Amino acid sequence: GQRLPHPPGRRRIFGDIERDADPTTPTQNLLRRCEGLPELVEFKAFRERFVFVMSARLCAQVCDDATFDKALPPAILALRRFSGDALFTAFTEEPAWALAHDLLAPAFTKPAMRGYHDTMNAVAGDLVARWSAATGPVDVPGDLTRMTLETIGRTAFGHSFGTFAAQQTDPYVEAMVTLLTESGRAAGLSTLPGGQLITRRPRERARSAYDTQVRITEGIIADRMRTGGQREEGEDLLGRMLFHAHERTGERLDRRNVVNQVLTFLTAGHETTSGAVTFALWHLANDPEVMARSQAEADALLGPDPTARPTFELVPKFRYLRRVLDEALRLWPTAPAFGRSPRQPTQIAGYTMTPQDWLMVFLPAVHRDPAVWGPHPDRFDPDNFLPERVRARPAHSYLPFGTGARACIGRQFALHEAVLVLARLVHRFDLTRDPAYTLRVSERLTLMPTGFTLTARERVPAS
Ligand code: HEM
């Protein structure tokens, strides 16, 4: 039928994959080419066709929940083979989605956040102590990943991974990275001619990583069943998963679903947050003025004691640091794309899409749309998030947490944790980067800087 526009230089077998493109960085490859591409573009990789939304205008159209719904593109379907109908990989019309959403949403309200705050502060304190004791440059993505995994483990599941004590990567994180990488690789390879044959090894590696995650998860659940469920601090996420029934229908999550929910939350609940904080630190270390303004704000709010911890109420007062984080997530949306499908045959940019079709909102392009962000969208500028500028922008031009009913359930959790740790770090330390380092970003569904280190020196807050 209709031909969608594609990038210039399409090849016969490889399609739109560039000759010398690094196959491990598809998001950055497309980002590099996005200037001058139409707002709806087809990308062919071997036999697979992807359709990308590149503009804020079309993004607004496909984000309307009345006419479009979340779609599961191949890489997410590959994950669904493992995590089934858990929140992130469920189809919206599956009963398991609404049930889990209703049961678990109360664990992400403001009062719930208040209950997590002390634990978040304690874990951020472990990170601060580690950087304070460091004798050389610190591994920023590695240490932030330690922190966010420990935070979600303790706040949501009452489980400590003990990651700050360990030198090596946590077995859960290792299995998670393998599962994300190998299932993604299998999804990619399966589009090759003869693909089913060469996907065997990655599928086996993904399966074995999943089994490891399930074992760890079963252990966490067994601990909770032994200790009876009710925790002193009240209901956490795991308590809600195991012991709560739906208010109206009385339904509960079945056991297999609970395992997959725990797994989903352990992964979704830490990987993207550590990436966001790491990108924010990269921009802070790169821009002395942004760093100075952040430190001035921290000094004003936290005072002269470098070991001060923000209270729950203080965290949202870090307005400038929040803008730094928002801007980091604009340029580096750590979950860089999400899928959408029309509910009925629908016209989009002059093309007809049916409910069998799906497209991806490509956030790195939407977040740089010159029609919204001006002529220099690549420039890091936290003032993009001054309230008057936010108000002046069209809706759906900034969506790092997705959209509508299927938007991120953990958004407030992530923002609170990220601002809290950034505040403590810039208050306590002067952070300098290795001048020889240039930003390298690895991809495994999410975006994460690699090889990024900082030197942390204790500072005296200005009084
Ligand atoms: C969904 C981004 C942190 C749990 C999503 C989606 C995005 C996103 C874009 C929608 C995906 C889609 O439409 O397919 C992020 C970013 C984070 C973050 C950028 C950090 C900066 C968290 C945290 C948690 C979490 C901390 C849990 C504690 C989830 C879950 C879903 C989700 C369970 C699926 C929700 C549903 O479909 O009902 N996230 N997320 N995320 N996120 Fe997050």
Side-chain angles (χ1 to χ4, degrees):
Q2 7 164 37
R3 294 248 173 138
L4 279 162
H6 58 79
R10 179 171 279 188
R11 294 187 288 156
R12 258 192 64 232
I13 292 171
F14 293 88
D16 297 308
I17 300 174
E18 282 173 304
R19 205 166 291 280
D20 45 9
D22 178 350
T24 65
T25 58
T27 297
Q28 291 162 88
N29 298 348
L30 184 58
L31 175 58
R32 225 175 294 113
R33 301 169 80 184
C34 80
E35 223 186 288
L37 288 184
E39 50 183 342
L40 193 67
V41 68
E42 181 188 77
F43 191 95
K44 200 165 161 256
F46 302 105
R47 290 180 300 183
E48 190 76 66
R49 284 164 200 279
F50 300 84
V51 176
F52 289 105
V53 164
M54 310 292 275
S55 74
R57 187 183 76 95
L58 289 190
C59 178
Q61 184 186 347
V62 304
C63 284
D64 175 11
D65 271 352
T67 49
F68 281 79
D69 185 18
K70 166 161 167 159
L72 306 184
I76 308 292
L77 280 177
L79 264 188
R80 184 185 153 93
R81 286 200 181 165
F82 300 104
S83 57
D85 57 8
L87 213 51
F88 182 73
T89 42
F91 293 106
T92 311
E93 71 275 10
E94 272 175 314
W97 179 76
L99 174 60
H101 178 83
D102 290 356
L103 281 176
L104 304 181
F108 294 96
T109 56
K110 191 169 172 190
M113 283 316 127
R114 190 186 300 276
Y116 306 144
H117 176 79
D118 286 348
T119 306
M120 286 186 180
N121 241 334
V123 180
D126 290 346
L127 175 75
V128 168
R130 187 179 174 96
W131 286 17
S132 182
T135 52
V138 295
D139 166 11
V140 181
D143 284 349
L144 264 308
T145 299
R146 287 187 165 87
M147 186 199 76
T148 54
L149 179 68
E150 186 67 12
T151 300
I152 189 70
R154 280 167 60 178
T155 54
F157 304 104
H159 174 81
S160 171
F161 287 90
T163 51
F164 283 105
Q167 259 331 299
Q168 66 285 47
T169 306
D170 185 84
Y172 181 84
V173 174
E174 205 170 276
M176 175 200 78
V177 171
T178 307
L179 178 60
L180 292 180
T181 315
E182 298 295 340
S183 68
R185 185 171 294 162
L189 287 176
S190 70
T191 72
L192 290 175
Q196 290 312 320
L197 297 172
I198 43 180
T199 59
R200 211 194 61 186
R201 286 300 302 280
R203 273 189 285 126
E204 280 171 4
R205 281 194 290 262
R207 166 63 56 187
S208 129
Y210 174 74
D211 292 342
T212 302
Q213 284 183 301
V214 168
R215 256 196 319 278
I216 294 168
T217 300
E218 296 273 17
I220 295 173
I221 294 174
D223 282 349
R224 178 60 57 90
M225 300 307 281
R226 258 199 308 280
T227 57
Q230 299 299 325
R231 295 168 72 236
E232 282 165 33
E233 306 94 279
E235 283 278 274
D236 63 359
L237 195 66
L238 183 57
R240 299 199 68 85
M241 289 175 180
L242 285 170
F243 305 113
H244 264 246
H246 194 278
E247 264 180 26
R248 213 161 11 83
T249 65
E251 278 175 289
R252 290 161 176 272
L253 303 181
D254 67 53
R255 185 54 176 275
R256 184 172 166 73
N257 184 266
V258 171
V259 170
N260 285 328
Q261 300 287 8
V262 174
L263 242 148
T264 296
F265 274 89
L266 281 177
T267 299
H270 91 281
E271 159 93 352
T272 43
T273 311
S274 60
V277 176
T278 303
F279 280 115
L281 285 167
W282 159 255
H283 285 290
L284 279 161
N286 247 324
D287 192 327
E289 194 196 319
V290 173
M291 179 65 97
R293 285 179 70 179
S294 302
Q295 289 182 321
E297 178 181 72
D299 294 355
L301 290 170
L302 284 168
D305 176 3
T307 66
R309 298 169 161 218
T311 60
F312 179 73
E313 284 71 24
L314 201 63
V315 174
K317 300 219 161 83
F318 284 84
R319 299 262 159 75
Y320 187 72
L321 259 186
R322 171 62 192 276
R323 296 205 284 273
V324 170
L325 180 70
D326 287 344
E327 178 71 347
L329 278 171
R330 179 179 73 84
L331 291 176
W332 300 105
T334 49
F338 54 85
R340 304 288 287 173
S341 269
R343 296 178 189 275
Q344 303 292 328
T346 300
Q347 287 277 322
I348 171 161
Y351 300 89
T352 306
M353 285 189 76
T354 71
Q356 283 73 51
D357 298 326
W358 51 274
L359 48 71
M360 308 271 279
V361 173
F362 188 64
L363 288 175
V366 172
H367 288 180
R368 286 173 175 81
D369 184 341
V372 173
W373 302 95
H376 304 291
D378 279 315
R379 207 175 273 168
F380 183 83
D381 179 8
D383 289 348
N384 275 325
F385 289 89
L386 285 169
E388 58 272 23
R389 290 213 208 162
V390 173
R391 273 195 302 273
R393 263 197 301 273
H396 302 109
S397 45
Y398 179 69
L399 291 171
F401 293 97
T403 189
R406 300 300 301 271
C408 182
I409 200 171
R411 176 170 180 263
Q412 294 305 333
F413 186 102
L415 293 171
H416 192 85
E417 181 183 17
V419 172
L420 167 58
V421 71
L422 284 169
R424 291 189 61 177
L425 290 173
V426 301
H427 187 235
R428 176 77 177 251
F429 301 113
D430 282 318
L431 299 164
T432 45
R433 71 178 187 86
D434 173 359
Y437 175 75
T438 51
L439 186 63
R440 272 181 290 121
V441 177
S442 72
E443 301 184 21
R444 45 186 188 232
L445 290 185
T446 59
L447 303 178
M448 177 70 83
T450 50
F452 171 41
T453 61
L454 283 171
T455 303
R457 289 192 192 80
E458 309 270 346
R459 66 186 279 272
V460 181
S463 45

